[in-house]
Amino acid sequence: MNAMTEQLQSGAGPSIGAILIDSGRLTIDAAERILRLQQKEGMRFGDAALQLGLLGEDDIQQVLSRQYDYTYLAADDDSMSSEVVAAFKPFSPVVEQLRLLRSQLLLRWFDVDSGGRALAVLSPDAGEGRSFVAANLAVVFAQLGQRTLLVDADLRRPCQHRLFRIPDKHGLSSILAGRAELAECIGSVTRLKNLSLLPAGAVPPNPQELLSRPQFAAMLSALCGSYDVVIVDTPPAARTADHQPIASRARGAIVVARKHLSSAQRLQALVRSLQESGTVVVGSVLNQG
């Protein structure tokens, strides 16, 4: 090992330069140029690389995320949909808002005293961002180090398997119909540490009846014993009554509305029905998009 490589490997773990060389993003010659400027000017390695134009800001953020065990994906990664923005742009304004929401939920629902482990994400109508919020909220909880499970309980028009590009041959509907076991239906989101997904599975002819079965409550209780956070996506509340057994089993819910689209009357009706059924409405989210 030459002196330059020894410099890159010094410290408690691999340095920025070592990680970039190992990943093929930086050549040894380029790293040497960066090191010379770093030593001459007393700069950080990343700042020197940016000044020389040998790396971009995204490269630096990516390697810092690896150093600090904060996983997110490169812009050209096609392992999941770009709609999972928290997985690609964790420092963007929309993800900062999701982290604020995460903090509030940790204080109000997922704390030890409340005993909350599952949270349903609801909205009155389609197109209000309910599934977007559920997916990205699950990602930011996983990035915090929480063992997180995202459950797609929309048994009419599921989408979480598409967002995370996980097969949905077997899923929630298969479990509730007694056609599959829970363990064989849950898939790890391999590119994101701490995150797993239970897809909806095949669309059944009787979603409300399946969700009302005792098996759903028992399954959710078992999942809450295995994960720190369980986020449950739901179908539009104004179109069916599917959300009622989901929310009552989860015990807690947040309601999503879209600016200039959502009906205040339908929102009020949804919140009232949740409260009347004993579900804790933990908060609401205004989707600005």
Side-chain angles (χ1 to χ4, degrees), residues 212-275:
S212 299
R213 289 179 178 178
Q215 293 95 313
F216 180 60
M219 183 204 74
L220 206 55
S221 177
L223 291 173
C224 288
S226 301
Y227 293 89
D228 300 315
V229 172
V230 178
I231 304 292
V232 188
D233 193 10
T234 64
R239 298 188 179 185
T240 73
D242 295 5
H243 68 285
Q244 292 178 342
I246 299 171
S248 64
R249 268 68 170 182
R251 293 182 43 244
I254 57 171
V255 177
V256 178
R258 185 182 288 273
K259 190 176 182 180
H260 304 310
L261 177 66
S262 297
S263 161
Q265 184 177 2
R266 287 188 172 184
L267 283 167
Q268 291 168 354
L270 174 56
V271 171
R272 186 166 55 250
S273 71
L274 290 170
Q275 292 172 335

Side-chain angles (χ1 to χ4, degrees), residues 141-238:
F141 270 110
Q143 289 171 332
L144 187 63
Q146 302 287 300
R147 296 170 301 160
T148 305
L149 175 68
L150 174 60
V151 178
D152 194 341
D154 185 346
L155 300 186
R156 296 178 186 267
R157 298 188 67 180
C159 71
Q160 297 297 344
H161 68 283
R162 175 182 60 81
L163 295 180
F164 289 94
R165 296 182 179 162
I166 284 180
D168 69 332
K169 182 178 180 181
H170 298 294
L172 178 60
S173 63
S174 312
I175 297 166
L176 298 181
R179 299 172 62 87
E181 296 296 324
L182 180 61
E184 65 184 288
C185 295
I186 295 177
S188 295
V189 182
T190 54
R191 301 302 302 276
L192 295 175
K193 189 176 179 182
N194 301 312
L195 181 60
S196 299
L197 171 65
L198 173 58
V203 174
N206 57 338
Q208 189 175 150
E209 288 75 14
L210 286 178
L211 292 165
S212 299
R213 289 179 178 178
Q215 293 95 313
F216 180 60
M219 183 204 74
L220 206 55
S221 177
L223 291 173
C224 288
S226 301
Y227 293 89
D228 300 315
V229 172
V230 178
I231 304 292
V232 188
D233 193 10
T234 64

Side-chain angles (χ1 to χ4, degrees), residues 64-110:
L64 286 173
S65 74
R66 289 181 59 181
Q67 281 192 319
Y68 288 89
D69 199 24
Y70 183 71
T71 308
Y72 72 98
L73 307 180
D76 59 353
D77 193 311
D78 63 356
S79 62
M80 65 185 65
S81 169
S82 60
E83 293 176 60
V84 190
V85 64
F88 292 92
K89 300 178 180 179
F91 313 109
S92 62
V94 66
V95 181
E96 288 293 347
Q97 292 301 311
L98 285 164
R99 277 199 284 270
L100 287 173
L101 174 61
R102 179 186 68 190
S103 297
Q104 290 295 315
L105 290 171
L106 285 169
L107 291 171
R108 298 183 183 186
W109 186 244
F110 292 115

Side-chain angles (χ1 to χ4, degrees), residues 108-131:
R108 298 183 183 186
W109 186 244
F110 292 115
D111 66 302
V112 175
D113 293 335
S114 75
R117 283 291 183 273
L119 184 76
V121 182
L122 299 98
S123 70
D125 293 295
E128 292 173 314
R130 175 191 63 260
S131 295

Side-chain angles (χ1 to χ4, degrees), residues 34-35 37-38 43-54:
I34 295 168
L35 280 170
L37 179 61
Q38 178 188 18
M43 305 170 70
R44 293 179 178 176
F45 186 91
D47 293 335
L50 290 171
Q51 183 170 313
L52 290 170
L54 294 171

